[in-house]
Amino acid sequence: MARQASELFEEFKELTASEFFRRNKQMLGFSGKIRSLTMVFHELITNSLDATEEAGILPEITIDLKRVDKDHYILKHRDNGPGIPEDFITKVFCTMFAGSKFRNIQSRGQQGIGCSGCVLLSQMTTGKPAKIVSGYKENGELKGVEMTFKMDVKKNQGLILEKRPVEVESTGVHIELHFKDVSYSLSEQGAYEYIRRTMIANPHAKITFRDPTGHKYILDRATEEIPPLPKEVLPHPRGVTADDLIFMAKHTDRRRFRSLLTTSLSRMSNKKVDEVEEITGIDLNKRPKDMKWEEAEKIVETFSSMDFMAPPTSGLIPIGKNQVEKGMREILNPEFAAANTRKPTTYRGGVSFIIEAGISYGGESGRIVGDQKRAEIMRFANRVPLTFDQGSCAITEALKSIDWKRYGIRDLDNAPITVFVNIVSTNVPYLSTGKQSIAPEPEILHEVRQATMKIARSLQKYIRAKKAAKEEELRSKIFETYVPVILKEAAILAGKDVPEYDHILSKVTRRPKIVGENNVE
Amino acid sequence: MARQASELFEEFKELTASEFFRRNKQMLGFSGKIRSLTMVFHELITNSLDATEEAGILPEITIDLKRVDKDHYILKHRDNGPGIPEDFITKVFCTMFAGSKFRNIQSRGQQGIGCSGCVLLSQMTTGKPAKIVSGYKENGELKGVEMTFKMDVKKNQGLILEKRPVEVESTGVHIELHFKDVSYSLSEQGAYEYIRRTMIANPHAKITFRDPTGHKYILDRATEEIPPLPKEVLPHPRGVTADDLIFMAKHTDRRRFRSLLTTSLSRMSNKKVDEVEEITGIDLNKRPKDMKWEEAEKIVETFSSMDFMAPPTSGLIPIGKNQVEKGMREILNPEFAAANTRKPTTYRGGVSFIIEAGISYGGESGRIVGDQKRAEIMRFANRVPLTFDQGSCAITEALKSIDWKRYGIRDLDNAPITVFVNIVSTNVPYLSTGKQSIAPEPEILHEVRQATMKIARSLQKYIRAKKAAKEEELRSKIFETYVPVILKEAAILAGKDVPEYDHILSKVTRRPKIVGENNVE
């Protein structure tokens, strides 16, 4: 029986973003008990690190995870950041797609889902509200507010249950969330490993973590240097589409399209604008609203044929090769460590990025699997560990495409090495809302390979030298063991005294004289 | 210089869903030129098949893809569905997270992103509006409207540019969209292969496709049988969480919690409600709004310890093993084909699903790579081809975990076989918003393995029989070649005539007498 359209559309409705993600929480990365808890840690730590750095404060985070029952935990997360003003608390924690990181800037969080996702998960698994104490400065004055709230899932906004001013000693956020159906684990995907890896990439942070057994880990900072703040970067002419120009034109208050270009794009001088005008024949003095799509297309096409300076890279703050090496040595205690930070480059024509790589060998490098150690890959984006979806990540793809045999690693499944890769960008091309793997842009794959192969060569030299030294030692040992015996017996046969030989022996073995029984002294 | 919280929050803002996906279009599956076009075909075809089936119509879809310039296409997509009422057109095509498929029902589309995503992509790459003609019935009367519209990305809603009533001959939707930066490809990820696979899973559909070279493909239906309409299925007690119960309680107009349970959950009788009341001690006659979280938790816990009938499966309509086999034979022309539809079962305790599998061998099975054929895996969810993200999909994981050597396939990279797997469910657990790979729920992995191994055994029998027949033939050939020669020479030596031997020979070779030169007749 053919049904009419009008009947079918009776059930038509619109969901809010929060309703949508409530039905599809796996898209936030909350799939599975271990992964869900690790993702919560990820979102809250990320938020705290970003907030403290933006405010120019050395980050100090305190995390307390208490196990109430099987799969039931209370998480208390505290930071020393600038805090959240009272009016914004529910926006940060109860509204999907809200945030301040939609500018073109290198930041850990990028989508405005994170913190709200944690509150949603807490609520869905326990029904309990979230509790927060926020200390913040307003007009130089220190204020404090304590709030208990829930997310109104239907409306994608907060529902304040209780609110009162409180005395606080300093600025910062202290949030308390209950969770069920999550699991704390010491495995590679677990929350503890996440903290450990965060420390390698953020040596200026201090994290105190009390785990469910009551054990307190103090991961102290290795440097007092706050990394410089990444600057907002204007989009590069090579990185904009016609749609971007029309969108900018629609929402600008600039009077002329020409000044929209010079103020909204990097490397765009009035001289360059003249050049564009000459090539396209379009009058760029006109009002932005009068710019037509076909004209915007022509302009973008012209951009791609013109020469521009590379995008400014002051916006990008890598960890730095010394810091990476320092971090690896601190946490992994290796025999060998080397790191490499590449020069900035771009993908898709105009988005800047930098790749950093590090390799450590021996010590606590690698991950124990059964009775051997396999190579461990640690991936980071803007200093944030990417724990999951390793298989689909561009970094993994690039690393696996390297011919490790050439560098002395016969089999990655049996090699005591840790490979560290960090990508830094204003716009990290994640593959999905879970933000755990990176899209295989060709330039990114290339840079990861180059960065890693360079330090792999250093590793190869080290392994060779180590092997040669071993052989040298073996050879020396043979001499030291047998020469004295031979001389002694020869001397007996010749009826002579055993001659002095230490100095000759040590010349041959290149080892110092051994003062001992054979030394004629 | 530590910045104040109030400064930092100056830049705080909220994005609408459309703004969010505009900045992150790769999360809709629009990453790369080939994939983007295939995803557009996927969304529009999916929408048409769902709409026609819901209205009880045999689907007929006409697609015209015209190449205007390099990477620049005009797509015209027409179906014979029930059409879209005038007031809903922009909601369907311009509003993310809007739709009618949020009920608990087996359907191809599930998220309310699809069609709007296509309009967004069209607009972002060309700036052109979308054009639609919709024929639909209202109160028995056939109406037609022609509309030109754009998406207001900031507001997640439509902007109608032109609208006028038109004469239409029948119900249906005809939409015209321009795209740039997309690419039509004949590869495994391309739009044509998508259509081909859709036909295997939907033998009742007819698709006419005119490709950019002007070549017209008519993929006719193989059956006049419209598959029965999947019924909406109430959630099963084993599949609800405490959060679900509280959410239902909050939004119901039922007066008592007890009747909320019996009307909103499947397999929930008043007797079962009494049982729950007895075990938990909670009064279920109270008003839904009075139900507390802890009580909902207790109820859910009790559910998991009670016996319920398995979820009703009338909601699930698999393709059917005969239809799968028929579809494979039609499209792939194989030597051998077998299919298997498993019984319904559940994942996560209460979500029903059915797995169907098919294997074809020889003919056009497998995919040519270089100079050999490798096994081709065709994955489907609710009859919709899953083209991308093959590596992270549960179906792939399950198929790769099978020991194919046991079934006569030594190496999947060198086997002329096609494996077809379809999962049917009211709630397919996709891994991400791109909807191209399935989460590795243990029950799903198990069912895919079981379904496939069963028909792999049939394949093995076939391969063995084929091999035996080959050997038999070789053996027969040897006899047929040499016996006559031997007899002839022997006869000469013995000075006798060549005896008649055909009947004996054909007994030995089990092949019919060959009337020929050796036949003494």
Side-chain angles (χ1 to χ4, degrees), chain A residues 2-4 13-15 22-23 26 55 91 97 99 102 111 124 126-127 140 180 243-244 293 297 430, chain B residues 2-4 13-15 22-23 26 55 91 97 99 102 124 126-127 140 180 243-244 293 297 430:
Chain A
R3 293 169 66 195
Q4 290 193 119
K13 60 184 176 185
E14 288 173 50
L15 294 187
R22 181 185 163 269
R23 292 169 189 259
Q26 72 275 10
K91 283 197 192 292
F97 296 156
F102 301 116
Q111 295 169 2
M124 280 175 69
T126 67
K180 283 190 184 178
D243 180 62
D244 292 326
W293 179 277
E297 273 192 325
Y430 296 105
Chain B
R3 294 168 66 194
Q4 290 194 116
K13 61 183 175 185
E14 288 173 48
L15 293 188
R22 179 184 164 272
R23 289 167 192 263
Q26 73 275 11
K91 282 199 194 288
F97 295 157
F102 301 117
M124 281 175 67
T126 66
K180 283 192 185 176
D243 180 62
D244 292 327
W293 179 276
E297 273 191 326
Y430 296 106

Side-chain angles (χ1 to χ4, degrees), chain B residues 29 32 37 52 80 87 100 173 177 198 246 306 357 374 376 391 401 404 447 451 518:
Chain B
L37 189 62
T52 46
N80 64 336
D87 297 334
S100 51
V173 170
L177 295 164
T198 294
I246 297 294
M306 286 166 64
R374 65 164 169 73
E376 178 173 41
S401 75
W404 288 93
E447 286 291 306
N518 303 105

Side-chain angles (χ1 to χ4, degrees), chain B residues 306-321:
Chain B
M306 286 166 64
D307 279 324
F308 288 100
M309 275 175 72
T313 52
S314 54
L316 297 183
I317 313 287
I319 302 170
K321 82 186 205 77

Side-chain angles (χ1 to χ4, degrees), chain A residues 486-501 520:
Chain A
I486 292 168
L487 285 177
K488 197 160 152 204
E489 297 299 322
I492 292 172
L493 284 173
K496 296 204 172 195
D497 286 327
V498 179
E500 200 193 296
Y501 60 79
V520 178

